Amino acid sequence: MKKIVLSGIRPTGQLHLGNYLGALQKFVRMQQEGIYDSFFFIADLHALTTQPDPAVLHANVRHIVAEYLAAGLDPEKSTIFVQSDVPEIPELYLLLNMHVGIGELMRTAAFKDKARKQLGITVNKEGDDDSDVAREIIGNESNKRVNAGLLTYPTLMAVDILIQHADFVPVGKDQEQHLELTRRFARRFNSFYGVEYFKEPENFNFGGKPVKVPGLDGSGKMGKSEGNCIYLVDEDKALRKKVMRAVTDSGPTEPNQPMAEPIENLFTLLKLVSAPDVVEHFTTAYNNCEIRYGDLKKQLAEDILKITAPIRERTREIENDDEYLARVLKQGAEQARERASKTLSEVRQIMGITPFWK
Ligand code: TYM
């Protein structure tokens, strides 16, 4: 039996370098190893938690499927599908929610972050604890709403994973807490019903650490809501401009001086996209106080373009081929539903809701 790999990306816009280096690149490598049964999908139901414009959501799904294929995912080797094409997922989500606590969902970092944004609470106040979010939500002191879908986001993600019995879930560092919850829900289900049914999935990083791709604005991660993204479809000129504008400092004044965060971030990116001798060259230059950040950025931009430009070109070709995209997704949905429907009927049985009249 092959080990099962599964992962997904929300269609909230074009894919950025964080999505690629943290996730999509690993999907492609895992597919190429040829030893896994792999499932890669577009998490359109998850995208609904932030209430996108329907036309924009629709366009994003098409675009990301094209980016998946352009980056090297192959429908003959991997199952590529859209989450909402698998109706067994929402049904299992309802069932699993019966074993998930509101409190543990409210303590999830991603929920607190997004809920604070939706409620307009300033993030990271002095002495900030969880009570501000809880008070606002339960007290309903404002007219703002945090939708229930956002709260139960981790249940839906756990279902995506558990319904296919995935062993490995290649994701970036920011998704590790959701993965931890998935394992917890699997354990809880198994122990409640006294069965060894769900597996506990793990992240996969080819022996390395989970990746957190930084932004170029000095601190934090690259992310759509942070507005600091390099997109896979950025034109050469625009991409170079973004990299050349990256925040730096006035340069080291002493040999082997510790790096400030913006510089460390540039090196983190360099290590992800450039050859080891290039990294070595600039590290030595930094340690000898001879570094010219302009040269480093130029090199970084060219090395990023080596990765993104071919993907950008292929995305353009694929994106408008309706017939091909439809074929890929139809086949993917059928394959994904096969195992999903088996899991669902087994879970219904375990939970005792198989109708006795059948
Ligand atoms: P999403 O759509 O936010 O991100 C998709 C993938 O990109 C990774 N990523 C990053 N990795 C490193 N550095 C960054 N700056 C960076 N930004 C994004 C994310 O870690 C992720 O792997 N909840 C998921 C989607 C999902 C899912 C699933 C994933 C739904 N169901 C089941 C795996 C399995 C999400 O919001 O990813």
Side-chain angles (χ1 to χ4, degrees), residues 6-10 12 16 18-19 21-23 41 43 46 83 153 156-157 160-161 169-175 178 211-214 221-223:
L6 174 135
S7 195
I9 297 183
R10 276 173 308 147
T12 47
H16 55 74
N19 298 136
L21 298 169
F41 70 99
H46 276 103
Q83 188 184 30
Y153 185 116
L156 184 56
M157 178 156 162
D160 293 330
I161 298 166
V169 182
V171 283
K173 194 167 168 45
D174 61 313
Q175 294 298 316
H178 286 148
V211 174
K212 177 181 161 190
V213 178
K221 68 159 192 166
M222 184 176 291

Side-chain angles (χ1 to χ4, degrees), residues 150-328:
L150 190 67
L151 182 67
T152 52
Y153 185 116
T155 316
L156 184 56
M157 178 156 162
V159 166
D160 293 330
I161 298 166
L162 299 176
I163 207 165
Q164 302 293 354
H165 298 287
D167 297 280
F168 298 120
V169 182
V171 283
K173 194 167 168 45
D174 61 313
Q175 294 298 316
E176 290 223 301
Q177 193 179 20
H178 286 148
L179 218 49
E180 185 56 50
L181 280 172
T182 303
R183 288 191 284 270
R184 195 198 293 174
F185 299 159
R187 276 197 300 276
R188 186 177 297 158
F189 182 94
N190 291 349
S191 88
F192 188 89
Y193 293 105
V195 285
E196 269 313 307
Y197 185 68
F198 285 128
K199 287 187 218 166
E200 291 189 37
E202 285 166 36
N203 197 349
F204 192 89
N205 293 291
F206 292 95
K209 283 196 193 138
V211 174
K212 177 181 161 190
V213 178
L216 293 176
D217 46 358
S219 67
K221 68 159 192 166
M222 184 176 291
K224 253 158 276 174
S225 47
E226 283 77 12
N228 59 4
C229 294
I230 292 178
Y231 292 101
L232 297 184
V233 292
D234 276 344
E235 295 293 339
D236 292 12
K237 205 171 147 200
L239 192 145
R240 288 195 183 103
K241 209 164 144 189
K242 282 185 185 174
V243 177
M244 293 315 287
R245 276 205 307 247
V247 174
T248 50
D249 58 15
S250 52
T253 50
E254 285 171 28
N256 302 314
Q257 189 176 312
M259 288 180 190
E261 195 182 349
I263 310 305
E264 210 176 290
N265 287 348
L266 281 177
F267 273 91
T268 300
L269 265 179
L270 199 71
K271 283 180 203 149
L272 288 167
V273 300
S274 303
D277 58 324
V278 172
V279 179
E280 166 114 31
H281 167 80
F282 285 105
T283 310
T284 309
Y286 180 88
N287 287 335
N288 295 338
C289 304
E290 284 163 355
I291 191 151
R292 296 202 333 215
Y293 291 137
D295 293 347
L296 167 64
K297 290 179 185 177
K298 269 192 203 135
Q299 177 77 42
L300 187 58
E302 295 318 306
D303 288 341
I304 293 173
L305 277 170
K306 270 189 216 145
I307 296 172
T308 60
I311 298 178
R312 179 185 70 208
E313 298 313 319
R314 282 198 294 274
T315 301
R316 290 228 175 90
E317 288 163 23
I318 297 168
E319 197 167 22
N320 295 315
D321 192 343
D322 280 349
E323 208 189 306
Y324 176 55
L325 293 177
R327 201 159 8 104
V328 168

Side-chain angles (χ1 to χ4, degrees), residues 31 77 85 90 92 94 102 154 254 259 282 320 330 345:
Q31 171 191 272
K77 296 184 182 147
D85 275 341
L92 186 57
L94 182 142
I102 299 171
E254 285 171 28
M259 288 180 190
F282 285 105
N320 295 315
K330 187 163 174 281
S345 72

